[in-house]
């Protein structure tokens, strides 16, 4: 089974702190994504990566950065956390299109971040 | 802007009833339409998906109906069970690029 692991399920941080959210997948997937989930707003794409050291902005990248130094690991970074970044963060991965790809995204269980 | 719009926002259904969730999209280049199911405390998981070359796809009690001309697709949950209580997201993408545009989600509650 594909496993996407988000190491921190719950975090509480203070305004201005730097926050790292880690995500690891074990299926050798090329594509990895970070989403933010808020009630009434659904899933919004923050950043994604098609390959190591490659990143592309999603729909709401402001206030975030990412790092992908290894294929299996995709990190989301909040350089200076703010209260409006309190949210559930979901990591996902999938294989490249055209390689028996069903388009299925495999999600982690989420990291709930509270910024005080 | 919201590329995929879901309705209703929430739904309460009696056990054994039919749950219907609708989605509409604008981008005619979309060619892949999945539905994701999310239980509390879990990440979303793919439930069922359809491509526009068919008008309907059924997997067990779950059916997607697709209307290309109306740019709409819907999820039908037949014989709804309390275990189906979850949040459901519709989504769409184009060209197999895996960058899905998600709807805002529907919370479905099935009461015994």
């Amino acid at each position: 089974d594909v496993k996407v692991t988000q190491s921190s399920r719950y975090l509480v941080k203070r305004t201005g702190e730097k926050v790292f959210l880690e995500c690891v997948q074990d299926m050798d997937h090329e594509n990895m994504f970070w989403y933010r989930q808020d009630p009434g707003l659904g899933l919004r794409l923050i950043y994604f990566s098609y390959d190591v050291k490659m990143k592309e902005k999603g729909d709401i990248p402001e206030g975030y950065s990412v790092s992908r130094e290894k294929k299996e690991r995709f990190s989301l970074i909040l350089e200076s956390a703010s209260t409006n970044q309190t949210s559930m963060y979901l990591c996902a991965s999938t294989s490249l299109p055209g390689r028996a790809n069903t388009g299925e995204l495999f999600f982690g269980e989420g990291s709930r971040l509270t910024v005080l | 802007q919201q590329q995929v719009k879901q309705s209703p926002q929430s739904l309460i259904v009696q056990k054994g009833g039919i749950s219907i969730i609708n989605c509409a999209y604008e981008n005619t280049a979309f060619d892949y339409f999945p539905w994701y199911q999310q239980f509390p405390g879990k990440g979303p998981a793919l439930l069922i998906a359809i491509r526009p070359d068919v008008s309907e796809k059924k997997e067990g009690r779950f059916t997607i109906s697709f209307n290309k001309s109306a740019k709409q697709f819907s999820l039908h949950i037949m014989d709804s069970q309390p275990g189906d209580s979850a949040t459901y997201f519709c989504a769409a993408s184009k060209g197999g690029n895996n960058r899905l545009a998600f709807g805002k989600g529907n919370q479905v509650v099935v009461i015994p």
Side-chain angles (χ1 to χ4, degrees), chain B residues 34-77:
Chain B
W35 283 90
Y36 280 76
Q37 180 187 53
Q38 183 182 29
F39 294 109
K42 301 291 186 182
L46 180 66
L47 181 63
I48 187 172
I50 198 168
R51 296 194 184 272
D53 52 344
V54 296
S55 61
E56 187 174 281
K57 183 174 181 180
K58 185 175 180 180
E59 290 184 3
R61 296 184 292 108
F62 300 91
T63 299
I64 297 181
S65 297
F66 183 78
N67 186 329
K68 190 173 182 178
S69 60
K71 292 187 287 184
Q72 294 177 347
F73 59 109
S74 59
L75 176 69
H76 295 234
I77 307 173

Side-chain angles (χ1 to χ4, degrees), chain A residues 7-81:
Chain A
S7 54
S8 301
R9 293 296 308 275
Y10 301 94
L11 302 95
V12 179
K13 298 292 182 181
R14 296 205 176 274
T15 301
E17 280 192 84
K18 190 169 186 175
V19 181
F20 291 88
L21 299 179
E22 302 285 338
C23 175
V24 177
Q25 50 93 5
D26 65 358
M27 279 300 290
D28 201 36
H29 284 166
E30 286 81 5
N31 301 342
M32 296 189 75
F33 304 79
W34 275 106
Y35 286 89
R36 172 176 172 162
Q37 181 175 12
D38 299 287
L41 297 177
L43 300 171
R44 294 181 291 168
L45 182 62
I46 304 171
Y47 266 97
F48 60 104
S49 170
Y50 287 138
D51 203 350
V52 175
K53 296 192 185 294
M54 176 274 177
K55 61 184 178 184
E56 288 196 30
K57 293 180 180 179
D59 300 316
I60 52 164
E62 296 78 19
Y64 303 95
S65 63
V66 290
S67 173
R68 191 157 181 210
E69 297 295 319
K70 294 185 177 181
K71 190 176 184 180
E72 68 271 18
R73 188 179 299 269
F74 192 35
S75 302
L76 180 69
I77 304 156
L78 288 68
E79 293 289 341
S80 178

Side-chain angles (χ1 to χ4, degrees), chain A residues 9 31 33 35 37 40 42-43 45 48 50 57-59 94-95 97 101-105 107-109, chain B residues 2-3 9 32 36 38 41-46 51 87 89 95-100 102-105:
Chain A
R9 293 296 308 275
N31 301 342
F33 304 79
Y35 286 89
Q37 181 175 12
L43 300 171
L45 182 62
F48 60 104
Y50 287 138
K57 293 180 180 179
D59 300 316
T94 189
S95 57
N101 176 46
T102 62
E104 179 174 3
L105 279 182
F107 283 88
E109 293 194 324
Chain B
Q2 193 79 24
Q3 296 189 64
Q9 194 166 9
Y32 174 69
Y36 280 76
Q38 183 182 29
K42 301 291 186 182
L46 180 66
R51 296 194 184 272
T87 299
F89 294 95
N97 68 8
N98 295 316
R99 182 172 173 171
L100 287 169
F102 281 92
K104 292 186 178 182

